[in-house]
Each structure stands twice: as structure tokens, then as C-alpha cells.
């Protein structure tokens, strides 16, 4: 496994490119959507809806607007949702033309997140699909432990 600091190529995508992706899919670039995209591109780890709201300029929108925007961005394939076992969805940007498939290593004490690029589970996925005559098999896999700082 090859862990590294959590940096996606979508983080390097300029805000103008991200809003252009919305426009190409015939969606309006509203103030809250633009702010959400900017927040996601600047943060080094997946964020909850509440964390996104807290990072926005005061009074720019409410939590319901963040939820609606995240639903739309996920539907458009611009963000991917992750679950780290605490019942709260987290979101991060997906680079254009990519599926955003990767895994995370999460510290159970401080919630530090390390992105894992390698996906050894693809071989298992293919074997399970073939052995059981399934198609379009996918998986979600996250790892948990104590980071060096919390040990």
C-alpha cells in the first residue's frame, strides 16, 4: 500500500475550471455552489456538510442549501461521498474524467485522513464477480487506526 498526503488532482483544478464543469452540464453557478467548490478544492480531506457550512462566509447560505448543492454535485459526478463509520457523510472533489476511486486511512483518535491510492481490492472484486456471475461489482473500503501523533 502506498499512502501519501491527501492531495487530489481536483484540488489543483482552478475554481474557474470547476464552475465551467457546472456550466457544461447546464447548471447555474450560484454563489453558494461556487463557495462550496472553492472550499472543497482548498481542504486536504473529505468534509461534512456542517464543516462546509462552517467554512463559508457568514450568512452566505444555510445548511439545507449545502445539502442540496452536495446532492447535485454528487449527481453530476463532481464530488464523491465517503463514510468513515461515524454516521456522517463526507465529500471531496473528483477530478474531471475520473471516478475518484480510492481509499482512506483514518485516525480513530484525531480523525487525520491519509489517502491510499493503491486498490488491491480490485482483484478480489473481479474474482467475486466472476465466481458469482455478477456484473458491475464495486466496493467501498476504508482503514482505521492510530496515526503516529496519537500513538
Amino acid at each position: 500500500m502506498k499512502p501519501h498526503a491527501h492531495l487530489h488532482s481536483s484540488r489543483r483544478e482552478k475554481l474557474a475550471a470547476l464552475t465551467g464543469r457546472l456550466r457544461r452540464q447546464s447548471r447555474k453557478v450560484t454563489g453558494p455552489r461556487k463557495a462550496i467548490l472553492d472550499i472543497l478544492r482548498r481542504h486536504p480531506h473529505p468534509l461534512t456538510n456542517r464543516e462546509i457550512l462552517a467554512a463559508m462566509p457568514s450568512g452566505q447560505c444555510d445548511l439545507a442549501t449545502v445539502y442540496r448543492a452536495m446532492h447535485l454535485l454528487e449527481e453530476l459526478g463532481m464530488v464523491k461521498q465517503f463514510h468513515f463509520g461515524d454516521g456522517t457523510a463526507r465529500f471531496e472533489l473528483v477530478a474531471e474524467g475520473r471516478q475518484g476511486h480510492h481509499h482512506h486511512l483514518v485516525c480513530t483518535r484525531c480523525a487525520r485522513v491519509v489517502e491510499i491510492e493503491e486498490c488491491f481490492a480490485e482483484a478480489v472484486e473481479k474474482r467475486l464477480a466472476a465466481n458469482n456471475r455478477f456484473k458491475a461489482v464495486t466496493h467501498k473500503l476504508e482503514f482505521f487506526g492510530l496515526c503516529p501523533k496519537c500513538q
Side-chain angles (χ1 to χ4, degrees):
M1 237 181 300
K2 186 171 75 170
H4 63 80
H6 192 87
L7 284 174
H8 279 301
S9 57
S10 58
R11 300 249 187 289
R12 294 181 213 114
E13 222 174 324
K14 293 186 178 181
L15 185 57
L18 291 169
T19 57
R21 288 170 64 184
L22 274 177
R23 285 187 187 96
R24 283 193 304 278
Q25 296 189 60
S26 301
R27 304 299 177 154
K28 290 182 180 177
V29 179
T30 63
R33 289 177 187 169
K34 187 174 179 179
I36 288 167
L37 288 170
D38 193 40
I39 289 164
L40 289 172
R41 67 182 280 281
R42 288 185 290 112
H43 276 75
H45 55 81
L47 297 173
T48 68
N49 286 319
R50 291 188 184 279
E51 289 171 330
I52 293 167
L53 180 64
M56 294 185 80
S58 183
Q60 184 161 11
C61 73
D62 59 12
L63 189 57
T65 301
V66 173
Y67 272 91
R68 283 192 303 272
M70 296 314 297
H71 178 75
L72 172 68
L73 294 172
E74 185 178 17
E75 184 181 294
L76 297 176
M78 292 182 68
V79 299
K80 186 166 182 165
Q81 188 176 138
F82 292 93
H83 296 274
F84 294 158
D86 61 359
T88 303
R90 287 171 174 77
F91 300 89
E92 68 182 11
L93 286 174
V94 175
E96 190 165 21
R98 299 188 60 185
Q99 294 177 339
H101 180 81
H102 62 279
H103 305 286
H104 297 97
L105 176 58
V106 182
C107 179
T108 55
R109 187 166 295 154
C110 72
R112 176 177 176 234
V113 178
V114 175
E115 183 178 310
I116 307 297
E117 285 291 331
E118 183 179 354
C119 184
F120 63 86
E122 288 175 356
V124 174
E125 187 178 279
K126 288 177 184 174
R127 189 179 75 239
L128 287 171
N131 290 347
N132 296 287
R133 296 182 303 206
F134 272 57
K135 296 206 183 286
V137 174
T138 63
H139 67 273
K140 291 184 179 185
L141 181 63
E142 308 302 339
F143 300 91
F144 300 89
L146 289 174
C147 72
K149 186 177 176 182
C150 292
Q151 291 175 19

